């Protein structure tokens, strides 16, 4: 993230509160997702009928240094493929992701995936053509044979705090969406500065009861929030010095069943 990018947003009266949760020790039970954040938590096997999502973010040109990615139905990159607008980083990533075995690959942009002095120099849709689906503002895609509906928001909109295209898509998509993808972090009270992002993103998640919101941007804010005021799960998937995040989603109940987001082993 650029140091000046994160805005300080006034705390609202009905902001999401993220309280410490009891950590389930086995599989998801009674609709309570299995949340795994310890560095030594093993990745559970994928259960039948679940959609497995593999999430990476904020790799900043160091994608080749990631450990082997787990298998999954869909691979997502949540922005900052590059470091400071490096076209070479983006092209290297496109070549790298092309050879990965995941059936579907989704990319959104972050603040480092642009050239501020020459914006026309980087055309991300062109760079990812034939390799991954690059999500535009308000772009809803159906994945995993129609079992997963995903909405992405571009960085420019996050920077302007303009989520009108996303709001329109949410209002007009029959049966709603399952996952919201942004690079920018939401605002969640009780999680520290790394979660002091956009209140408007938080409001979208609350208003439309989106089951899962995944993002990155603030590397040290990596982790899971299972708020007490909404059924949504929020996950900072920053992979700058961590392993990928793996999320299992049940397309029948429209709920997250497992999040594997191991912390760094210091």
């Amino acid at each position: 993230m650029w140091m000046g990018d994160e805005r300080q947003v006034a705390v609202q009266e009905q902001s999401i509160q993220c309280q410490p949760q009891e950590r389930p020790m086995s599989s998801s039970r009674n609709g309570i997702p299995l949340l795994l954040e310890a560095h030594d938590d093993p990745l559970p096997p994928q259960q039948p009928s679940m959609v497995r999502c593999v999430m990476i973010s904020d790799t900043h040109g160091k994608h080749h240094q990631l450990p082997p990615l787990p298998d999954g139905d869909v691979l997502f990159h949540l922005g900052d493929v590059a470091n400071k607008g490096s076209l070479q980083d983006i092209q290297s990533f496109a070549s790298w992701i092309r050879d990965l075995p995941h059936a579907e690959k989704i990319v959104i942009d972050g603040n480092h995936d642009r050239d501020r002095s020459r914006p026309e120099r980087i055309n991300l849709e062109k760079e990812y053509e034939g390799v991954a689906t690059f999500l535009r503002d308000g772009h809803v895609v159906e994945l995993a044979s129609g079992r997963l509906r995903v909405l992405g928001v571009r960085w420019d909109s996050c920077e302007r705090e303009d989520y009108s295209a996303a709001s329109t898509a949410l209002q007009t998509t029959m049966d709603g969406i399952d996952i919201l993808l942004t690079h920018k972090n939401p605002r969640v009270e009780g999680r520290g500065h790394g979660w002091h992002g956009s209140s408007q993103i938080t409001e979208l998640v609350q208003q439309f009861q989106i089951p899962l919101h995944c993002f990155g941007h603030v590397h040290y804010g990596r982790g899971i929030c299972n708020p007490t005021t909404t059924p949504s799960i929020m996950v900072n998937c920053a992979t700058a010095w961590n392993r990928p995040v793996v999320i299992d989603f049940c397309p029948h109940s429209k709920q997250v069943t497992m999040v594997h987001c191991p912390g760094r082993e210091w």
Side-chain angles (χ1 to χ4, degrees):
M1 61 181 285
W2 301 102
M3 292 303 292
D5 275 329
E6 186 179 2
R7 301 179 186 178
Q8 294 298 313
V9 184
V11 179
Q12 300 189 356
E13 290 184 2
Q14 295 185 351
S15 59
I16 279 183
Q17 300 288 326
C18 192
Q19 302 294 338
Q21 309 261 333
E22 272 192 36
R23 179 172 169 267
M25 299 305 294
S26 58
S27 60
S28 173
R29 295 175 299 179
N30 300 322
I32 300 174
L34 176 62
L35 307 179
L36 303 170
E37 294 187 272
H39 70 82
D40 56 351
D41 279 331
L43 176 63
Q46 183 176 359
Q47 298 300 311
S49 77
M50 297 298 120
V51 178
R52 174 152 286 189
C53 304
V54 179
M55 304 280 185
I56 56 177
S57 183
D58 299 271
T59 50
H60 293 286
K62 298 181 179 180
H63 43 274
H64 287 292
Q65 298 180 22
L66 291 175
L69 300 189
D71 291 335
D73 297 293
V74 189
L75 173 63
F76 297 86
H77 195 295
L78 307 180
D80 280 3
V81 161
N83 192 48
K84 297 182 179 179
S86 168
L87 180 58
Q88 182 179 356
D89 286 347
I90 293 167
Q91 292 173 339
S92 172
F93 175 79
S95 177
W96 176 77
I97 198 176
R98 184 194 305 273
D99 296 329
L100 295 177
H102 306 80
E104 294 176 290
K105 299 157 187 176
I106 303 295
V107 179
I108 64 172
D109 62 334
N111 50 303
H112 277 267
D113 300 325
R114 60 182 177 176
D115 187 329
R116 285 186 161 185
S117 59
R118 296 168 55 199
E120 73 286 350
R121 181 169 156 268
I122 297 177
N123 183 334
L124 293 175
E125 290 191 49
K126 178 182 176 182
E127 297 299 336
Y128 295 126
E129 186 176 2
V131 176
T133 299
F134 177 70
L135 294 189
R136 305 179 301 276
D137 258 0
H139 187 184
V140 177
V141 294
E142 290 191 352
L143 305 170
S145 301
R147 294 180 296 156
L148 195 67
R149 194 175 289 121
V150 177
L151 171 65
V153 180
R154 292 206 59 173
W155 173 257
D156 285 348
S157 296
C158 291
E159 190 170 46
R160 296 193 309 269
E161 286 283 273
D162 177 6
Y163 303 99
S164 55
S167 180
T168 298
L170 286 162
Q171 293 176 54
T172 57
T173 301
M174 187 176 296
D175 299 326
I177 67 161
D178 303 314
I179 306 178
L180 174 67
L181 304 177
T182 65
H183 182 63
K184 191 170 187 177
N185 50 326
R187 185 175 187 94
V188 176
E189 300 308 313
R191 286 300 300 263
H193 183 68
W195 289 68
H196 286 183
S198 170
S199 293
Q200 291 191 48
I201 293 176
T202 303
E203 289 170 9
L204 279 179
V205 174
Q206 287 181 304
Q207 179 182 351
F208 294 98
Q209 298 290 285
I210 301 170
L212 177 62
H213 173 218
C214 293
F215 58 97
H217 194 43
V218 182
H219 303 175
Y220 59 83
R222 175 180 161 109
I224 308 166
C225 179
N226 188 6
T228 58
T229 55
T230 172
S232 307
I233 301 288
M234 296 173 142
V235 188
N236 182 327
C237 302
T239 325
W241 50 72
N242 286 289
R243 286 173 281 168
V245 173
V246 179
I247 300 172
D248 285 346
F249 187 86
C250 177
H252 305 295
S253 66
K254 297 294 185 182
Q255 291 180 320
V256 173
T257 60
M258 187 279 299
V259 181
H260 185 255
C261 183
R264 183 177 180 179
E265 183 177 2
W266 296 95

